[in-house]
Amino acid sequence: MKKKMLLLNTTVLLGLGGVLSTPAYASTIQDMESQKSQIQNQRQDVQSNIKAASDELIRLQAEQDQMKAQLERLTLAEEENNKKAQKTEADIKETSKQVEQLEKEIKLLQEKLEKRNDILKDRARSLQESGGNVEYLQVLLGSSSFSDFVDRALAVSTIVDADRGILKETKNMQDELKTKQADVKSKLASLEDMKAELDEMTVQLSAQKKQKDALAKELKDKEAKNEELKASLQAKDSSLANEQSTLEQNIKDQKAAEEAARKAAEQAAKEAAKKAAEQAQKAAAAPAEKADSSSAKAEAPKASSNDVAPTSAPAPKASNVVTVGNRWIGNSAYVFGGGRSQSDINHGLFDCSSFVHWAYAQVGVNLGPLGSVSTETLKHAGTQVSSSQMQPGDLVFFDTYKKDGHVGIYVGGGKFIGAQSSTGVAIANMSSGYWKQKFNGRVVRI
């Protein structure tokens, strides 16, 4: 009977030891730890996407800032060009009035000269009738035109001094008026050329501004979408963070519950062992049974000690002239007559000839006074070469609003760099399209 009781006690202790050695909450904690790990991985992905979205926003903002600066530059250029266009139109009107007035004066003068012609002829006839020099009359009456008559009259040595003075004065007046008329007409033609170029440029700048505005809107839309994506990712990250926090709290609570259960089980085992030992001592009558009881008593705590497992947790040469102007690409604007002051240069405001002058100046080549540089001066600045021998650095000319109206620097591969009215400083293709049609074959090697 006593042996049966001892065996039962031993079985109870071993059974309790088995219960204590089995991690009752291990599976649940492992699941939660696994979920936590998955959430952490998701958060890493989301945070990586947030960083990418933030970087894209920074890039878009920089691109947008650059675009805004270019738009401001184009607006300034357009204002300057419009002012020049208005001034040119006013000059054309004023010059036209001058031409009209001069033509009236010339007409009046011609009428006066015709009258003088008749007077001189009458005087010549009177001179003949009174026995004067026949040669004088033949010279005068043989003139093919009034201008020729004046020239002949001046050449006749027999003309009286009074007539000579009148003729000389009239001749000088006529020559002066013709000279003024030619000068005014020349100036008018030049102004009309300027007006033609400005009109073309204004149209192109207007088109470019529309294009830039559209691009700015596109950038703004991209920025808005990226902001929306970033906000969505941040919301997702916040949700994952809350989920992670909840899991961590659940794991903490579960571990605390497990620890409390383990301590309770240990306490229960100790109390059972103590009770079993007391019962064994009382039941032991013989020394052998006492020894057996002592053995059982020694074994019980050993079994309890071994069966309870701790819980675990888990970087300048002349050849550079073809590239020195690249700094102005997308960072400049075309202004007719621009680029001839340091302020214009600092703001990237050029016309075609001032840009060429600036580019060569950067590599130590002086193409004459900056204030008077033009396509006309540049085409005489170096040596004319055949277009078949064209090399990078050569100047190339185009017939735009007039002959040799545009100039650029050949960069090779059928392309040239120059201040274009539609884009500011840019590299353009002269092997096809518009510039191929306008290229006149003039090539100048500096």
Side-chain angles (χ1 to χ4, degrees):
M1 181 67 180
K2 292 179 180 178
K3 287 183 179 180
K4 289 181 179 179
M5 287 291 295
L6 182 61
L7 180 60
L8 177 62
N9 290 334
T10 303
T11 302
V12 170
L13 290 173
L14 289 173
L16 288 172
V19 171
L20 292 174
S21 65
T22 301
Y25 300 96
S27 176
T28 302
I29 292 175
Q30 286 175 358
D31 288 344
M32 287 189 291
E33 291 284 3
S34 176
Q35 283 183 316
K36 177 183 174 182
S37 177
Q38 291 175 5
I39 290 173
Q40 287 175 333
N41 291 336
Q42 290 179 38
R43 285 196 70 193
Q44 288 178 355
D45 291 341
V46 170
Q47 289 169 352
S48 176
N49 289 334
I50 290 174
K51 184 180 184 306
S54 297
D55 292 342
E56 178 66 7
L57 277 174
I58 293 172
R59 188 192 69 78
L60 287 173
Q61 186 61 52
E63 187 174 348
Q64 194 173 41
D65 289 345
Q66 184 178 5
M67 190 60 61
K68 286 179 180 177
Q70 179 65 358
L71 284 171
E72 290 175 0
R73 190 178 295 110
L74 286 171
T75 300
L76 175 62
E78 189 173 24
E79 290 175 356
E80 291 298 319
N81 289 326
N82 284 335
K83 288 179 183 178
K84 291 182 182 293
Q86 292 171 4
K87 183 179 182 304
T88 301
E89 288 174 352
D91 289 344
I92 289 174
K93 290 180 180 179
E94 179 62 27
T95 306
S96 298
K97 291 180 181 178
Q98 293 176 10
V99 171
E100 185 178 350
Q101 182 61 33
L102 283 172
E103 288 175 344
K104 289 180 180 179
E105 292 177 3
I106 289 174
K107 184 177 180 180
L108 290 174
L109 180 59
Q110 288 174 337
E111 291 175 355
K112 290 180 181 179
L113 290 174
E114 287 294 336
K115 291 179 180 179
R116 291 190 179 188
N117 183 26
D118 293 339
I119 293 172
L120 289 172
K121 285 181 179 180
D122 290 340
R123 293 184 63 181
R125 290 190 184 94
S126 297
L127 179 62
Q128 182 185 21
E129 291 172 356
S130 62
N133 193 329
V134 177
E135 179 185 1
Y136 174 67
L137 180 62
Q138 290 176 340
V139 169
L140 296 181
L141 298 181
S143 59
S144 60
S145 66
F146 181 64
S147 179
D148 184 35
F149 172 81
V150 173
D151 292 335
R152 286 170 177 254
L154 289 173
V156 176
S157 59
T158 58
I159 193 168
V160 295
D161 290 340
D163 289 345
R164 182 187 297 275
I166 293 172
L167 288 169
K168 279 187 176 182
E169 181 182 352
T170 303
K171 173 68 172 175
N172 291 339
M173 290 174 63
Q174 185 181 35
D175 291 344
E176 182 180 359
L177 285 174
K178 286 183 178 180
T179 300
K180 286 182 178 180
Q181 185 182 38
D183 290 343
V184 171
K185 287 184 177 180
S186 175
K187 183 178 180 181
L188 180 60
S190 176
L191 289 172
E192 288 174 346
D193 287 342
M194 291 169 59
K195 179 65 169 58
E197 183 177 18
L198 285 170
D199 287 345
E200 178 184 1
M201 179 185 58
T202 300
V203 170
Q204 292 176 343
L205 282 175
S206 178
Q208 186 189 34
K209 189 175 185 304
K210 289 181 180 178
Q211 180 183 7
K212 295 292 185 181
D213 287 342
L215 184 55
K217 183 179 182 302
E218 181 182 351
L219 286 171
K220 187 175 181 180
D221 291 343
K222 285 182 179 179
E223 184 178 12
K225 289 180 181 179
N226 204 57
E227 284 283 11
E228 183 180 352
L229 173 61
K230 184 179 177 181
S232 174
L233 290 170
Q234 288 174 334
K236 178 65 174 175
D237 182 61
S238 178
S239 175
L240 289 171
N242 291 335
E243 191 174 344
Q244 179 180 337
S245 177
T246 300
L247 276 172
E248 288 174 347
Q249 185 61 44
N250 289 342
I251 291 171
K252 183 179 179 180
D253 294 343
Q254 196 75 336
K255 285 184 176 181
E258 180 183 334
E259 181 65 15
R262 184 185 67 79
K263 289 182 178 180
E266 285 181 348
Q267 184 63 30
K270 288 179 181 179
E271 291 177 357
K274 181 179 179 181
K275 186 175 181 180
E278 290 175 351
Q279 291 176 351
Q281 287 177 354
K282 291 178 181 180
E289 290 178 350
K290 186 177 182 180
D292 290 339
S293 176
S294 298
S295 176
K297 185 179 181 180
E299 289 176 1
K302 183 178 180 182
S304 174
S305 175
N306 289 337
D307 288 342
V308 178
T311 304
S312 59
K317 297 180 181 179
S319 59
N320 292 340
V321 72
V322 300
T323 58
V324 71
N326 289 351
R327 59 171 288 195
W328 295 116
I329 295 177
N331 193 32
S332 61
Y334 186 97
V335 172
F336 186 83
R340 288 163 178 78
S341 68
Q342 192 57 48
S343 176
D344 278 359
I345 293 173
N346 291 341
H347 289 87
L349 304 179
F350 297 96
D351 64 10
C352 61
S353 53
S354 66
F355 170 74
V356 169
H357 188 284
W358 173 87
Y360 268 93
Q362 303 313 297
V363 297
V365 179
N366 185 355
L367 295 182
L370 176 60
S372 59
V373 65
S374 66
T375 54
E376 191 67 22
T377 63
L378 290 176
K379 74 181 185 181
H380 300 296
T383 304
Q384 303 278 334
V385 297
S386 169
S387 59
S388 62
Q389 298 175 326
M390 195 160 44
Q391 297 178 2
D394 290 344
L395 304 188
V396 287
F397 291 80
F398 304 85
D399 293 343
T400 51
Y401 71 102
K402 68 175 184 178
K403 185 171 179 60
D404 298 318
H406 189 70
V407 63
I409 301 172
Y410 186 64
V411 299
K415 297 180 179 180
F416 76 99
I417 186 171
Q420 327 297 10
S421 60
S422 59
T423 59
V425 176
I427 294 176
N429 189 350
M430 57 185 290
S431 299
S432 62
Y434 176 82
W435 292 113
K436 181 180 180 180
Q437 296 174 2
K438 298 298 182 180
F439 178 53
N440 61 18
R442 186 188 297 279
V443 180
V444 174
R445 183 160 300 161
I446 303 300

